[in-house]
Amino acid sequence: MKSHAKAVVIGGGVVGCSVLYHLAKAGWTDIMLIERSELTSGSSWHAAGGFHTLNGDPNVAKLQAYTVQLYREIEALSGQSCSLHLTGGVMMADTPERMDFLRLAHAKGRYLGMDTELITPSEAKAMFPLMDETNFVGAMWDPVEGHLDPSGTTHAYAKAARKLGAEIVLRNRVVELTQEVDGTWNVVTEQGTVKAEHVVNCGGLWAREIGRMVGVELPLLAMEHMYLLTEPMPEVEEFNKSTGREMIGVMDFKGEIYTRQERNGILLGTYEKACKPWSPVNTPWDFGHELLQPDIDRIAPSLEIGFKHFPGIEKAGIKQIINGPFTFALDGNPLVGPVQGLTNFWCACAVMAGFSQGGGVGLALSNWMVHGDPGFDVWGMDVARFGEWATLRYTNAKVRENYSRRFSIRFPNEELPAARPAQTTPLYDTMLANNAVMGDSWGLETPLWFAPKGTEPKDIVSFHRSNDFGPIGEEVRATREKVGVTEIANFAKYEVSGLGSEDFLNRLMTNRMPKTGRIVLTPMLNEFGRLIGDFTIAKAGEERFMIWSSSAAQKYHMRWFEKHLPKDGPGASQVRIHRFDQTLVGLSIAGPKSRDLLQKLVDVDVSTKAFRFMDFREMAVGGAPCMVNRITYTGDLGYEIWMAPAYQRLVYKAIKDAGEEFGLVDFGMRALLSMRLEKNFPTWFRELRPIYGPFEGAMDRFVKLEKNGFIGCEAAAREQAEGPKLRRVSFIVDAADADVMGDEPIWAKVGGKDYGTVEKPHGYGAPRFDADGKEVPGSRAAEGASAVRGIVDGDWRVVGWVTSGGYAHYIKKSMAQGYVPAALAADESAGLFEIEILGSRRRARINVEPPFDPSGEKMRT
Ligand SMILES: Cc1cc2nc3c(=O)[nH]c(=O)nc-3n(C[C@H](O)[C@H](O)[C@H](O)COP(=O)(O)OP(=O)(O)OC[C@H]3O[C@@H](n4cnc5c(N)ncnc54)[C@H](O)[C@@H]3O)c2cc1C
């Protein structure tokens, strides 16, 4: 075993081997994989080997598609067969709601280049005759599904990596990880120590233990999972003989089962409600290739439905039941990327579908390690997406919830209950007493809307408008016409201070930093000129800045801030970043009477001239020391008031008491999001994401290209010079009783005209770099991306996708935001666009100017 390596990958399951292969392919050959036992000694060896492309997150779906297409490549390079069976598969819907869900998934697939098709139950039966089709109302066919040999596939990655120069060390456990002052990792193993620049945790079932070696508790948990194999079935053999084809894969939401052909019989797996974690606290190091004891009682309810839906299977004898553990993060997607707070410590774990996702995970991580950027939008699997609140017990509750709901529909207005309440503000009980329906905002209980007195504060979950529609409308109207108050503790808040702070922020942000007492809005870009943040920044004093942003991005942004802290020159080791999290909470008051209300609460002049739009002041509000921003996301006259949690009840009570004479109402997050729609305001992670440039995102006025040297400046200048290909726009949609939810296709009647690329720029093809290490423009989106197919309908074409939307209650219209080719972005003609909502195409019209207060007069007065 060598004593030095550029990178050490810990773990030889399918994920570790894929990471090793992709690193070697990207040109890092001084790398090694260290495996405790033999390859596939964790969950990989007993996997059912199924693969598919569909995922709730379209970006992850795209990566899954990449994984499937990769298998031919590694087979060719390694000479090792993966035993690929590309059978295709169907998802069966037994209710109209599940069919709505499939329609949504199918619609998303339109611009992702996926060839899914909605079919009838009889058509599904023709491909899988063991089913009783009368149990179903419809189905979706996905041709890119199948199964493979898990062990062969893992070895194919490993052999391909070895061929490219990587080393694999077996039967050698990593027992300790320490780091030198210069950042070098000491990877202490049973066979000696390896010094490495980078360490990758691909420990699968032991990923938590490896995390603990560096002081990190990774939010993942192993669950027991069972599938059964039947004896050979004559019906299967007969089908193979008569059609010359293998039977397809089937997913049955109701039964929570998946099934496919295995040799001459059937494999049937369950995601049962009565699920069971395995080794909830520590994974034993001596766990090897043994299987867990099957528990047929646990899966009996799923089997009962399964046998009713697939009577052909019931008759077959059960040959074997496999029960094995594999890991999940809270939302079922992987944990990938650099761990915030550490240097060069990377994760690729909690990969619950290693044979659908392993390739994409390997590609993303290797891009990130070698080129400093994953190369596409990986937020859905970024290890930074969970906060400190995701403790061992929290994770346990959430993973069990996720597992038991694996085949359940998640409605757009559905809040999941497990592990809640976790974090609460001092106003939590007050909000409950006010009949608030609470939601989970990055682990924090946040009021979503207020149910009328005497009614149960509860969402009726639906894809259509629901019981919150009326009350949210009331909250919006009262706020727009008088004044409303809402909690905004769920924003991210930071303070950057110390010598060099202004230079540091100027280098990170596209906008100029404000003068003392003033506020700016500013995007943040990566080196490739893509949007990685959107901030409100106030200059609170000399070299002291207050910053607000998206709550969910706190670790993501901290990771970036820490990476770019000045290493030398002015500010080196002096710039300090403090993340407040819930040690700073807030309330926002908005509406035409909000100034009168604020004036009653403070002893300073807050008139238009004394306290202007985009001013920042520290002042006592209702007797409590606060920071106040004259700005609001409602787009109206309004203020954000920030205070230590100990003062929040005092300030809220003062607002409520003083607000009575103005007709003050409480409003929730949903009303806030409704109001931002009619102002065409974007949201982070929806409209603004790392796949868009600032000009594509219509953030032009916040990008000061003439300001020297901010990160991404060159690329942004290129985007402006060449003109953005895409553009964010707002639509008014002629919707019926359902509004857009995000990711719906946008159709345009463009005849034969070509408006350039309409591919959503996930760019899962790795970016190419020139000899100077600069990204080759355009290489990211194009390479490896599949062409958009099946999206032309006469003169109509899919030209874009929705990012978010909903009902704009004040203007009483349904609205959507999304991206379309730039050449279409200013075309407000009626009849040009349609947006597909739940399978039905609704007329939509671009609204270049925001429908509420287009001149911004109200918020400036
Ligand atoms: C019953 C069952 C059915 C499944 N069906 C499917 C399916 O149909 N499709 C699908 O895509 N997925 C399926 N899976 C999930 C799939 O198995 C996992 O997604 C995949 O195995 C994860 O691979 P991994 O490399 O992350 O982890 P693992 O396979 O657990 O590999 C981790 C490796 O790291 C090594 N290691 C850990 N700690 C150390 C250390 N300190 N030093 C050195 N080495 C170390 C371990 O020995 C192990 O070999 C199934 C799983 C089970 C249990």
Side-chain angles (χ1 to χ4, degrees):
M1 184 176 77
K2 58 186 181 186
S3 58
H4 288 77
K6 186 154 182 83
V8 168
V9 176
I10 307 173
V14 64
V15 175
C17 291
S18 167
V19 169
L20 190 75
Y21 168 67
H22 281 94
L23 281 174
K25 193 178 164 193
W28 281 15
T29 47
D30 177 20
I31 52 175
M32 63 200 292
L33 181 150
I34 301 180
E35 164 56 47
R36 176 185 73 100
S37 177
E38 305 296 331
L39 295 182
T40 73
S41 288
S43 49
S44 296
W45 75 273
H46 47 227
F51 59 79
H52 54 267
T53 48
L54 281 170
N55 187 288
D57 182 326
N59 300 298
V60 180
K62 201 74 177 162
L63 279 173
Q64 296 188 179
Y66 164 81
T67 303
V68 177
Q69 66 145 49
L70 184 70
Y71 290 130
R72 295 286 179 223
E73 176 183 316
I74 56 167
E75 278 185 331
L77 191 59
S78 65
Q80 162 77 49
S81 165
C82 299
S83 296
L84 276 187
H85 295 246
L86 194 63
T87 57
V90 285
M91 293 176 136
M92 304 302 302
D94 65 308
T95 61
E97 287 75 27
R98 286 198 169 95
M99 203 54 218
D100 277 348
F101 171 80
L102 290 184
R103 282 195 193 97
L104 270 175
H106 173 64
K108 285 181 197 175
R110 284 188 189 280
Y111 63 75
L112 288 174
M114 290 181 184
D115 267 340
T116 56
E117 210 179 307
L118 296 174
I119 60 173
T120 63
S122 314
E123 286 171 310
K125 186 186 170 77
M127 293 184 274
F128 195 84
L130 304 174
M131 77 170 65
D132 173 358
E133 77 282 15
T134 59
N135 290 296
F136 303 106
V137 299
M140 186 173 79
W141 160 250
D142 178 7
V144 192
E145 267 196 48
H147 58 101
L148 45 67
D149 167 23
S151 171
T153 302
T154 308
H155 280 92
Y157 276 124
K159 283 184 185 166
R162 272 205 193 99
K163 279 203 167 159
L164 295 173
E167 182 179 336
I168 297 180
V169 179
L170 300 176
R171 296 172 290 283
N172 185 24
R173 181 157 73 88
V174 172
V175 292
E176 195 184 350
L177 292 167
T178 59
Q179 202 172 17
E180 306 279 346
V181 183
D182 70 356
T184 306
W185 285 101
N186 295 311
V187 183
V188 185
T189 77
E190 290 167 336
Q191 295 173 19
T193 297
V194 183
K195 293 213 173 280
E197 245 177 75
H198 299 264
V199 171
V200 191
N201 178 359
C202 295
L205 294 174
W206 295 267
R208 281 179 314 183
E209 277 67 19
I210 296 171
R212 287 172 195 157
M213 290 179 193
V214 296
V216 172
E217 188 62 50
L218 289 166
L220 60 90
L221 175 71
M223 300 294 291
E224 291 192 12
H225 182 71
M226 278 181 269
Y227 63 83
L228 59 85
L229 298 164
T230 69
E231 298 287 359
M233 294 171 60
E235 300 90 327
V236 174
E237 286 169 14
E238 171 52 32
F239 177 83
N240 296 158
K241 220 187 277 165
S242 63
T243 62
R245 281 189 280 117
E246 196 176 337
M247 280 193 175
I248 61 169
V250 180
M251 222 181 253
D252 174 9
F253 293 112
K254 177 80 192 298
E256 291 147 346
I257 54 181
Y258 59 89
T259 179
R260 66 163 169 85
Q261 182 172 341
E262 171 70 21
R263 298 179 191 274
N264 298 333
I266 289 292
L267 179 155
L268 185 149
T270 66
Y271 279 88
E272 67 281 4
K273 286 267 179 290
C275 56
K276 190 171 167 206
W278 177 75
S279 292
V281 181
N282 298 302
T283 308
W285 286 112
D286 60 359
F287 183 75
H289 274 225
E290 57 268 40
L291 287 168
L292 308 174
Q293 190 61 33
D295 180 355
I296 196 97
D297 287 347
R298 222 167 63 224
I299 58 173
S302 294
L303 291 184
E304 202 178 309
I305 301 172
F307 291 152
K308 180 171 169 271
H309 289 184
F310 307 96
I313 302 178
E314 188 176 15
K315 286 182 265 154
I318 295 176
K319 189 167 72 177
Q320 194 186 4
I321 300 180
I322 306 282
N323 184 10
F326 65 115
T327 55
F328 295 76
L330 317 184
D331 57 3
N333 276 332
L335 298 172
V336 180
V339 175
Q340 188 248 319
L342 298 172
T343 48
N344 293 344
F345 184 83
W346 306 81
C347 268
C349 39
V351 184
M352 64 78 52
F355 298 94
S356 297
Q357 301 174 332
V361 165
L363 173 66
L365 195 73
S366 61
N367 273 343
W368 217 334
M369 292 173 70
V370 176
H371 304 304
D373 186 271
F376 49 89
D377 190 342
V378 292
W379 172 248
M381 55 185 197
D382 192 327
V383 62
R385 73 190 183 282
F386 301 115
E388 295 77 2
W389 37 269
T391 57
L392 202 58
R393 288 185 186 200
Y394 183 100
T395 300
N396 189 303
K398 271 292 175 210
V399 168
R400 280 186 286 126
E401 177 182 68
N402 182 270
Y403 186 100
S404 66
R405 292 180 45 92
R406 173 131 182 91
F407 289 154
S408 305
I409 294 171
R410 172 90 187 256
F411 291 93
N413 63 340
E414 185 169 12
E415 292 288 325
L416 300 180
R420 291 177 54 203
Q423 297 172 81
T424 55
T425 69
L427 286 178
Y428 178 65
D429 295 336
T430 310
M431 291 299 154
L432 290 184
N434 289 352
N435 229 20
V437 177
M438 304 298 280
D440 170 10
S441 176
W442 213 58
L444 176 73
E445 293 298 315
T446 302
L448 299 176
W449 60 284
F450 293 84
K453 292 274 170 285
T455 64
E456 195 188 354
K458 190 176 169 208
D459 276 311
I460 297 174
V461 295
S462 171
F463 286 113
H464 301 259
R465 291 178 195 151
S466 189
N467 59 326
D468 60 349
F469 189 81
I472 294 174
E474 297 296 320
E475 291 169 27
V476 167
R477 278 183 290 280
T479 302
R480 286 273 192 241
E481 283 159 18
K482 296 175 220 153
V483 56
V485 57
T486 192
E487 259 211 288
I488 48 171
N490 62 329
F491 288 18
K493 320 109 198 166
Y494 314 87
E495 183 184 60
V496 173
S497 60
L499 184 68
S501 298
E502 182 143 3
D503 288 345
F504 169 67
L505 290 173
N506 256 321
R507 180 155 162 63
L508 254 48
M509 307 293 168
T510 63
N511 207 343
R512 284 197 202 83
M513 286 306 104
K515 295 200 173 74
T516 304
R518 295 288 291 160
I519 296 170
V520 292
L521 303 180
T522 176
M524 181 166 81
L525 307 180
N526 64 16
E527 289 89 347
F528 310 110
R530 305 273 105 181
L531 287 163
I532 56 165
D534 180 36
F535 299 91
T536 300
I537 301 188
K539 185 164 180 180
E542 237 1 85
E543 301 285 23
R544 184 163 87 85
F545 294 85
M546 289 298 303
I547 304 183
W548 292 269
S549 186
S550 156
S551 175
Q554 292 187 53
K555 290 197 132 198
Y556 174 85
H557 284 146
M558 281 302 287
R559 191 171 61 193
W560 187 261
F561 294 159
E562 285 167 358
K563 184 175 168 191
H564 291 93
L565 274 172
K567 308 270 181 314
D568 44 37
S573 20
Q574 300 212 39
V575 175
R576 288 180 304 278
I577 306 162
H578 176 64
R579 178 181 146 215
F580 289 92
D581 208 358
Q582 292 314 318
T583 61
L584 187 69
V585 295
L587 291 162
S588 174
I589 53 172
K593 294 286 177 202
S594 56
R595 178 184 293 114
D596 297 341
L597 171 56
L598 182 68
Q599 191 63 77
K600 279 184 74 182
L601 300 169
V602 299
D603 303 312
V604 293
D605 181 6
V606 290
S607 62
T608 311
K609 279 199 184 137
F611 194 36
R612 294 161 302 162
F613 178 58
M614 303 290 271
D615 268 355
F616 163 91
R617 291 273 186 292
E618 293 181 79
M619 60 177 88
V621 180
C626 292
M627 291 179 273
V628 184
N629 294 340
R630 219 208 105 174
I631 188 171
T632 159
Y633 197 43
T634 64
D636 222 315
L637 173 68
Y639 306 85
E640 289 172 354
I641 308 167
W642 301 97
M643 71 287 302
Y647 291 111
Q648 198 193 21
R649 289 167 70 98
L650 175 70
V651 179
Y652 178 72
K653 182 163 186 319
I655 290 173
K656 288 289 275 190
D657 290 347
E660 218 175 317
E661 70 170 281
F662 304 111
L664 176 83
V665 295
D666 285 288
F667 68 97
M669 265 307 126
R670 291 192 185 155
L672 182 66
L673 290 173
S674 167
M675 287 186 267
R676 70 97 193 177
L677 277 177
E678 50 203 21
K679 285 293 293 178
N680 291 1
F681 287 165
T683 50
W684 179 249
F685 284 137
R686 287 301 213 151
E687 285 69 44
L688 309 179
R689 288 186 75 121
I691 48 176
Y692 306 118
F695 298 100
E696 290 177 337
M699 304 296 280
D700 313 29
R701 67 202 160 100
F702 308 118
V703 182
K704 307 290 183 232
L705 288 173
E706 65 285 1
K707 185 180 86 139
N708 276 336
F710 65 83
I711 296 173
C713 181
E714 243 177 74
R718 218 167 30 237
E719 186 197 339
Q720 194 196 39
E722 289 166 5
K725 283 202 183 83
L726 305 164
R727 189 81 175 166
R728 174 173 66 87
V729 288
S730 275
F731 291 95
I732 288 185
V733 190
D734 186 8
D737 70 335
D739 305 298
V740 297
M741 287 151 242
D743 291 314
E744 292 85 354
I746 300 171
W747 293 77
K749 194 174 183 182
V750 294
K753 283 195 206 133
D754 181 7
Y755 285 94
T757 177
V758 295
E759 176 90 5
K760 191 173 182 183
H762 300 270
Y764 67 73
R768 283 194 306 279
F769 294 82
D770 64 19
D772 299 330
K774 293 225 171 74
E775 186 186 349
V776 176
S779 65
R780 170 186 306 240
E783 189 180 293
S786 49
V788 178
R789 288 153 294 174
I791 55 158
V792 178
D793 170 13
D795 284 346
W796 290 87
R797 282 173 190 221
V798 171
V799 294
W801 51 91
V802 169
T803 46
S804 74
Y807 194 75
H809 283 270
Y810 197 62
I811 62 159
K812 293 198 167 66
K813 295 213 158 66
S814 185
M815 290 194 73
Q817 290 195 31
Y819 281 82
V820 297
L824 284 172
D827 195 334
E828 295 185 317
S829 340
L832 177 62
F833 293 102
E834 288 179 352
I835 294 179
E836 192 168 329
I837 303 179
L838 297 176
S840 143
R841 278 160 53 180
R842 319 290 311 181
R843 285 165 74 99
R845 191 169 171 164
I846 287 184
N847 242 64
V848 175
E849 292 298 333
F852 175 77
D853 189 24
S855 63
E857 204 184 307
K858 288 184 198 289
M859 64 186 181
R860 285 193 174 79
T861 40

